[in-house]
Amino acid sequence: MPDLSNFKNETTKQLTTFNLEKKTKTIAVPRGQKITLGEVKGHGCINQLWLTFPGWFWQHWNVNAPINQALLKTLILRIYWDGSDKPAVQCPIGDFFGNGLCEISNFTSKYIGMSSGGFFCKFPMPFKTGFRIEIENVDEKIDTEVFMNVLYQVENSPPENSGYFHTQFNTNKNNGPETVQIADISGKGHFVGCVLSMQAEEHNYLSYLEAPEYIYIDEDWESPRIVGTGLEDYFIGGWYFREGEFAGELHGVPSKDTLNSSIAMYRLHDKDAIRFNERLRFDFVNPWDPDRLKPFVYSSAAFYYLDSPEGQCKDIPSTEKLLCWYRIKNTDHQSIP
């Protein structure tokens, strides 16, 4: 069991967008461009990734700058491990940090969160020969700039028996009865959680939450090894999260708007990580009669560790498909801190 009092033979370092010579804090990420924010050679483990960026709120220092909360979906985070050309992490910023609805939610959990304008991830991310972090801006209107600090430990020898951190992003429109796929993974590893955001076309409709999880593991590929009792039950809530938003250490609902038929949820597996040796598929399947179900859209980010640094990310869809929501809440963020 890790203990803060334990001494470790490690060297603490930081990768940052701050330029000591120029005294600048950010790296520009213009629309339509991919920008490498930083690269590190060696072996060790990332223990915290923090970043933030303007564009989703009114800027009192640049009053004519365009504003679009959709930037939370059109700014794509990528992380590459050990020189691989396939990103292990490839995900819109909002989904990765806990809310895919193009909304800011002030919440903190053990591993991810949005903390009053900042975005953080504390999943441990080991690497053996290095890592590279990239941001792509696929927004059609907004140029932005990124502040980033990555705290990592350099170890005397490459980490042994440690998996590489991965994500898998999914988004789609659903007529109601179709399967909602969270992850389809090949290799050896363990599943450690997901973020799922959903919105129905019709107002005041949350029956998409009737779908329990079906988790297929290794030889149990035709029939799920793990089956739940409802979608909100998997996220450790109940009755369509009848008491509203909350943020727990390992599960929560950063956003719920029943009239808008939208919800964002997260569950993080810690000691209850789901192990697999060859493959894992995670779906939500609604058992209701299809005639009772109504259209909705969703996006999700799955978190897991694999024995390979090469990513299994699906291609990021077009901007139109990324911005699949029927309605995006227009939040009047505080203009001056």
Side-chain angles (χ1 to χ4, degrees):
M1 179 68 68
D3 189 323
L4 284 176
S5 66
N6 291 346
F7 290 107
K8 294 184 178 181
N9 195 14
E10 299 173 340
T11 301
T12 303
K13 293 190 175 183
Q14 181 163 281
L15 175 67
T16 179
T17 55
F18 188 84
N19 187 309
L20 278 171
E21 294 182 1
K22 298 179 180 179
K23 307 301 182 189
T24 55
K25 296 182 178 182
T26 64
I27 292 178
V29 186
R31 60 196 132 160
Q33 292 194 26
K34 296 179 184 178
I35 302 294
T36 294
L37 297 182
E39 187 170 5
V40 166
K41 301 293 186 182
H43 47 258
C45 184
I46 295 174
N47 293 116
Q48 176 175 280
L49 185 158
W50 169 92
L51 58 80
T52 192
F53 52 93
W56 50 270
F57 60 90
W58 184 77
Q59 301 170 36
H60 64 275
W61 66 92
N62 187 9
V63 296
N64 294 318
I67 307 163
N68 192 355
Q69 288 181 185
L71 189 61
L72 297 162
K73 184 71 79 172
T74 55
L75 208 58
I76 311 299
L77 172 67
R78 293 188 179 91
I79 305 177
Y80 301 79
W81 304 122
D82 293 359
S84 174
D85 59 357
K86 295 181 179 179
V89 172
Q90 180 173 256
C91 190
I93 290 289
D95 295 86
F96 183 83
F97 291 101
N99 187 339
L101 294 170
C102 299
E103 298 176 12
I104 290 292
S105 299
N106 290 313
F107 81 98
T108 60
S109 74
K110 184 174 182 179
Y111 293 115
I112 56 171
M114 300 179 177
S115 42
S116 196
F119 303 79
F120 73 86
C121 174
K122 289 180 175 287
F123 276 115
M125 304 181 192
F127 53 94
K128 293 182 179 179
T129 63
F131 66 89
R132 180 167 66 90
I133 298 177
E134 176 186 277
I135 291 281
E136 181 180 10
N137 184 353
V138 300
D139 200 272
E140 297 176 352
K141 299 179 180 179
I142 306 290
D143 297 321
T144 191
E145 54 187 324
V146 175
F147 302 73
M148 183 187 74
N149 294 312
V150 177
L151 200 67
Y152 64 98
Q153 307 292 346
V154 176
E155 302 168 353
N156 286 341
S157 59
E160 296 181 3
N161 202 33
S162 294
Y164 293 92
F165 181 76
H166 289 254
T167 66
Q168 201 170 102
F169 172 72
N170 279 287
T171 186
N172 214 339
K173 291 189 175 182
N174 193 306
N175 289 321
E178 289 98 355
T179 293
V180 172
Q181 185 165 101
I182 301 299
D184 189 354
I185 307 164
S186 298
K188 180 179 181 179
H190 47 273
F191 181 88
V192 294
C194 65
V195 171
L196 176 58
S197 304
M198 309 178 79
Q199 185 184 71
E201 181 178 26
E202 185 175 296
H203 286 273
N204 200 26
Y205 177 85
L206 295 176
S207 292
Y208 49 66
L209 294 175
E210 291 293 337
E213 74 272 21
Y214 282 39
I215 304 178
Y216 304 83
I217 302 171
D218 296 338
E219 67 274 11
D220 295 319
W221 205 246
E222 299 302 321
S223 181
R225 182 180 297 180
I226 297 172
V227 180
T229 53
L231 195 148
E232 81 275 32
D233 303 357
Y234 166 76
F235 288 96
I236 319 184
W239 307 109
Y240 293 5
F241 300 108
R242 63 170 297 122
E243 299 303 313
E245 299 172 359
F246 70 97
E249 184 180 45
L250 295 172
H251 67 286
V253 178
S255 177
K256 181 187 177 187
D257 186 338
T258 303
L259 291 178
N260 204 34
S261 304
S262 61
I263 192 164
M265 307 155 278
Y266 66 89
R267 178 175 173 184
L268 309 173
H269 296 263
D270 198 48
K271 294 180 181 179
D272 59 341
I274 301 173
R275 315 286 178 180
F276 54 94
N277 291 312
E278 298 176 358
R279 55 186 179 175
L280 177 144
R281 189 172 82 245
F282 188 130
D283 299 330
F284 286 106
V285 182
N286 201 314
W288 278 17
D289 188 300
D291 293 339
R292 298 178 62 190
L293 300 174
K294 300 177 181 180
F296 64 91
V297 289
Y298 73 92
S299 68
S300 64
F303 307 120
Y304 55 98
Y305 288 88
L306 275 183
D307 57 357
S308 169
E310 289 200 358
Q312 299 180 16
C313 303
K314 298 180 180 180
D315 292 339
I316 294 294
S318 66
T319 302
E320 181 182 0
K321 290 184 177 180
L322 275 176
L323 300 175
C324 60
W325 307 116
Y326 299 109
R327 300 165 293 277
I328 294 177
K329 186 184 295 184
N330 185 16
T331 303
D332 183 16
H333 295 283
Q334 185 177 358
S335 59
I336 300 177

